Amino acid sequence: MRFFYIQVIRGADLRAQSNNQGENRVILSAVRGKIRDRNHIPLAENIIHYSFAIHPEEVENRQEIITSFSSATGRSRDYYEGRLNNSSPYVYLERNLRSEVSRELMKIRDRGLITNRHGYRFYPHQKIASQVLGFTNVDNLGLEGIEKQFDNHLKGRDGWIVLQRDGKGRNWRNHAYPRRDPMDGSDIILTLDLNYQAILQDELSRRVVQTGAAGGMGLLVEPHTGRILALACLPDFDPNEPAASVREAYKNKIITDQFEPGSTFKIVTATAALTYNTVGIQDEFNCEDGSYVYRGQVIEDWNNFGLLTFPQIIANSSNVGTVKIAETVGNSRIYTTGRKFGFGTITGIQFPGETKGVLKETDQWSGISLAEISLGYEVSVTTLQLAAAYSAIANGGFLMKPFLVDRIIHPTGKVTYTASPQLIRKVASQPVMEQLTGMLRQVVETGTGTSARIKGWNIAGKTGTSKKYLNGKYSDTKFIASFVGFFPAHDPIMTGVIILDEPKPGYHWGGTGAAPVFRECVKRIINSDDSILVHRPQKKQEMNELIAMTEPVHKTAATEPVTLITTGTIAKPEVENGMAYVPDVRGKSLRRAINVLKNSGLTPKVRGSGTVVWQSPAPGKMVKLNSICTMGLN
């Protein structure tokens, strides 16, 4: 009965207790994947340290170990002789050796030698792209930015080794016990260009100091593809020492913070007027010597303008002229055009914390909302939305989805994810955008944006100056100065947005405060990158191929609601060992989303109708093949 009690009734518990007393599982840490720029230059990497130990009784070649370690570390042979003669079953030879010191030691093949490695996160360029990269905690888990968003890909999978423990608590390597080798994390290849990023951050930082601004934001984007080339927010921080900075500095404000844009929003009114043919390109408006009463609200200009043509109104950023143009367009068309540009909705970028801004539906507008919204008030946008909107003008009328991650590369070298440009919708026709581009060129040549002009280059852009809304009213002393532009004007390489927060008086105008930053960035990029013009046709071709692949854009009446064109393609997710990666189907039509999910080995489940606005599981996760992916449509 006692035997039965021990073997059967208490068997499982006693076996577990025996294993717990007689075995010791040691974690073999995986090395976190690197984050690189588009040229594969490391932005986040690891300082690898190696530790070496032995089981003295299992060592096969004592002299090889003694000679190799003495040569690598400079310690005496007697030191290692003493370690090998130690009576303990598990003895450390060296701890935390640098990788360059350990390189030759790693070649030793001896069953008595145990090697373990430890990776410490390191950001070699310090503050460069800090809000994009984020940082990790002491356990090497991502807490902010790309480190957090793609933590499952970066962290890899730890391994383990089971050691035998004797009665005195000493550990032995028993080759009959199991072992699982660690799997290092995947590398993330970003769309960022380190050179462009450094230039943008340097020029923005210099201008913030010069203007006494509280902060600044800058963004450079490829207009034909949506690839983000540089992204900077000030104040910034050093991800090597995040605790030395306030938490506010961790935020990627370009994606998370919204503000009233002011005159940079006038492109909505201008595009609507051109699209619906309510104003001719040479039509003139009386700008009332700089003061105009609209429904009891006084609209003022920064100068006493008289008669101005449509292009002159945009070039000189006349508020009176813009409101008069908006009156010819009407509420619903202004709203529809704003939504087509992507205002009031998220872009869908794969980055945590994106906000959608504010563009109220027309039934929530007041009697003066038409005037306010046409001037960039009563509406909030993000810097990312402005970049996407102006890129749509630059590329001939197509709103592209911005993205930061270009590829994910498994430690085996296999590419498990490849991003492709994604087309969200057609905003306006190419002739309309060409006319608008001409107006934006005039802004830089003769209007409020002359500080962005570069000799020998055609620059298009728009200045913006908006009062900050503080304590229930608009401030007369605190402003946001902005400039959004692209170059070359009619065959663009790059779109740029520059925002200064609360610059001191005199620099609070977009033309005097923000536009010079754009000019200096462009000049340095042109001078430092001889290949900048070489790849221009390729980027344009990417967008053209994408347009050809999508469903036809049906010509509809101008008053019809905004409809999404099916988004472009992402390389088919990998299916491995019965598992599949979840694709991003947000923004897609129901039919296209169902096809994408089925082709990825998943089972679609639908809630609502329209286009996909959310999905579960989230894009990029790995799930079991044939798992259900629920889509919410609206």
Side-chain angles (χ1 to χ4, degrees):
M1 290 177 63
R2 180 65 176 168
F3 179 78
F4 180 82
Y5 174 76
I6 292 173
Q7 284 291 95
V8 179
I9 297 177
R10 291 289 311 279
D13 291 341
L14 292 173
R15 275 193 299 273
Q17 184 177 339
S18 174
N19 290 339
N20 188 49
Q21 292 175 346
E23 297 176 1
N24 181 27
R25 177 174 290 204
V26 177
I27 298 299
L28 304 177
S29 301
V31 174
R32 193 171 179 84
K34 295 180 181 180
I35 303 175
R36 304 174 182 269
D37 83 336
R38 65 174 182 169
N39 298 313
H40 289 248
I41 300 173
L43 302 175
E45 54 185 341
N46 306 285
I47 297 177
I48 305 298
H49 288 173
Y50 290 88
S51 296
F52 297 90
I54 56 169
H55 297 298
E57 293 188 359
E58 295 187 21
V59 170
E60 298 169 327
N61 194 331
R62 292 170 57 93
Q63 292 308 310
E64 181 186 9
I65 290 178
I66 292 170
T67 301
S68 297
F69 273 82
S70 179
S71 175
T73 67
R75 290 185 188 269
S76 68
R77 293 177 60 88
D78 290 342
Y79 172 81
Y80 293 109
E81 285 276 8
R83 305 303 289 172
L84 284 162
N85 291 331
N86 195 303
S87 60
S88 298
Y90 188 84
V91 180
Y92 275 105
L93 293 178
E94 293 291 346
R95 294 193 185 192
N96 297 325
L97 290 181
R98 298 190 309 274
S99 56
E100 58 268 27
V101 176
S102 305
R103 192 169 295 117
E104 292 301 317
L105 302 178
M106 297 288 291
K107 298 177 181 178
I108 301 174
R109 294 291 178 264
D110 194 298
R111 63 179 294 171
L113 182 66
I114 305 298
T115 303
N116 199 2
R117 59 180 180 170
H118 314 273
Y120 300 89
R121 207 56 163 169
F122 175 64
Y123 303 90
H125 307 287
Q126 299 178 317
K127 294 184 177 183
I128 298 296
S130 56
Q131 286 98 353
V132 175
L133 301 175
F135 56 88
T136 62
N137 62 11
V138 293
D139 296 318
N140 240 11
L141 298 177
L143 295 183
E144 298 285 344
I146 292 294
E147 295 276 28
K148 177 182 179 180
Q149 186 74 5
F150 291 87
D151 187 59
N152 286 337
H153 294 279
L154 288 164
K155 67 183 181 182
R157 184 198 68 197
D158 287 342
W160 45 261
I161 183 172
V162 177
L163 301 177
Q164 186 176 3
R165 183 188 290 125
D166 64 15
K168 294 182 179 181
R170 297 174 299 186
N171 293 318
W172 297 82
R173 175 76 173 101
N174 188 332
H175 290 279
Y177 282 17
R179 170 191 177 107
R180 186 179 78 175
D181 290 327
M183 175 65 73
D184 291 344
S186 297
D187 285 356
I188 304 289
I189 311 300
L190 301 181
T191 60
L192 296 184
D193 186 296
L194 178 60
N195 182 41
Y196 297 177
Q197 179 72 35
I199 289 172
L200 176 62
Q201 219 155 320
D202 182 45
E203 292 297 336
L204 186 63
S205 179
R206 182 181 290 111
R207 195 61 175 169
V208 165
V209 172
Q210 289 173 345
T211 63
M217 294 181 284
L219 185 62
L220 300 177
V221 181
E222 281 183 356
H224 289 104
T225 66
R227 290 186 178 93
I228 295 176
L229 302 174
L231 185 159
C233 303
L234 297 176
D236 50 18
F237 71 101
D238 185 348
N240 294 299
E241 300 180 276
S245 301
V246 296
R247 287 192 58 83
E248 184 70 13
Y250 305 162
K251 289 176 63 180
N252 190 338
K253 296 181 180 180
I254 283 173
I255 293 171
T256 64
D257 285 19
Q258 55 193 42
F259 56 92
E260 290 183 305
S263 295
T264 54
F265 199 76
K266 289 176 180 176
I267 60 166
V268 173
T269 300
T271 302
L274 293 170
T275 299
Y276 296 100
N277 295 314
T278 63
V279 177
I281 196 72
Q282 293 303 323
D283 286 358
E284 290 184 323
F285 290 84
N286 181 3
C287 294
E288 310 288 347
D289 291 327
S291 182
Y292 175 58
V293 179
Y294 175 80
R295 297 189 178 184
Q297 174 92 356
V298 179
I299 308 297
E300 294 184 337
D301 268 333
W302 62 276
N303 203 351
N304 300 328
F305 296 117
L307 282 176
L308 293 178
T309 63
F310 187 179
Q312 288 172 335
I313 287 170
I314 299 301
N316 292 285
S317 202
S318 168
N319 291 338
V320 173
T322 301
V323 170
K324 288 193 171 187
I325 292 172
E327 287 182 277
T328 71
V329 178
N331 293 9
S332 63
R333 289 171 173 175
I334 294 286
Y335 171 77
T336 298
T337 305
R339 292 284 289 189
K340 283 184 176 181
F341 270 116
F343 297 116
T345 61
I346 61 172
T347 67
I349 190 171
Q350 290 180 294
F351 199 91
E354 184 182 12
T355 53
K356 67 178 183 179
V358 176
L359 180 58
K360 299 179 293 186
E361 295 188 8
T362 53
D363 59 4
Q364 299 175 0
W365 289 21
S366 68
I368 62 170
S369 289
L370 176 66
E372 293 287 336
I373 290 174
S374 69
L375 300 179
Y377 290 94
E378 287 192 25
V379 59
S380 293
V381 305
T382 65
T383 305
L384 184 64
Q385 288 173 336
L386 279 178
Y390 275 78
S391 290
I393 300 171
N395 67 35
F398 296 95
L399 187 66
M400 306 299 293
K401 179 179 176 179
F403 61 102
L404 270 166
V405 174
D406 187 63
R407 275 168 295 157
I408 300 176
I409 303 177
H410 193 267
T412 60
K414 186 176 183 180
V415 177
T416 58
Y417 172 87
T418 302
S420 296
Q422 296 188 55
L423 189 153
I424 299 175
R425 69 175 68 87
K426 187 173 183 179
V427 177
S429 68
Q430 185 170 347
V432 165
M433 291 312 193
E434 287 178 351
Q435 287 181 308
L436 186 55
T437 296
M439 296 182 193
L440 297 178
R441 271 197 65 194
Q442 197 168 329
V443 170
V444 176
E445 291 301 315
T446 62
T448 57
T450 54
S451 294
R453 191 168 51 199
I454 300 174
K455 187 176 181 180
W457 288 81
N458 291 324
I459 307 292
K462 184 72 187 75
T463 58
T465 305
S466 59
K467 295 180 178 181
K468 297 189 73 171
Y469 193 75
L470 302 170
N471 302 319
K473 62 179 182 179
Y474 286 102
S475 173
D476 291 325
T477 58
K478 295 186 176 181
F479 298 83
I480 292 175
S482 57
F483 180 84
V484 191
F486 50 90
F487 76 100
H490 291 290
D491 195 4
I493 303 165
M494 193 178 299
T495 301
V497 184
I498 304 296
I499 308 289
L500 295 180
D501 184 19
E502 298 183 16
K504 62 188 179 184
Y507 293 106
H508 67 287
W509 302 105
T512 56
V517 183
F518 179 87
R519 179 193 65 218
E520 293 306 309
C521 286
V522 170
K523 284 170 62 176
R524 287 179 62 179
I525 288 171
I526 292 170
N527 291 332
S528 66
D529 190 352
D530 293 335
S531 68
I532 192 166
L533 295 176
V534 175
H535 302 297
R536 180 168 44 174
Q538 176 189 344
K539 305 304 178 186
K540 192 170 184 179
Q541 182 63 23
E542 283 186 78
M543 190 188 78
N544 291 337
E545 290 175 355
L546 177 57
I547 294 169
M549 289 168 59
T550 56
E551 296 172 344
V553 183
H554 299 290
K555 294 182 179 179
T556 58
T559 55
E560 288 188 8
V562 179
T563 55
L564 286 175
I565 297 175
T566 339
T567 58
T569 59
I570 291 182
K572 186 175 179 180
E574 298 292 330
V575 177
E576 299 178 0
N577 301 323
M579 305 291 283
Y581 283 99
V582 179
D584 189 350
V585 295
R586 293 170 299 182
K588 289 180 167 32
S589 66
L590 176 60
R591 181 168 63 85
R592 180 57 63 89
I594 288 174
N595 287 338
V596 170
L597 290 175
K598 286 183 176 179
N599 289 338
S600 300
L602 301 174
T603 302
K605 183 178 180 181
V606 179
R607 292 182 182 176
S609 60
T611 55
V612 180
V613 294
W614 62 266
Q615 67 178 93
S616 180
K621 285 192 173 182
M622 180 171 264
V623 298
K624 289 183 178 179
L625 204 59
N626 299 318
S627 292
I628 292 176
C629 181
T630 304
M631 300 177 289
L633 285 74
N634 194 356

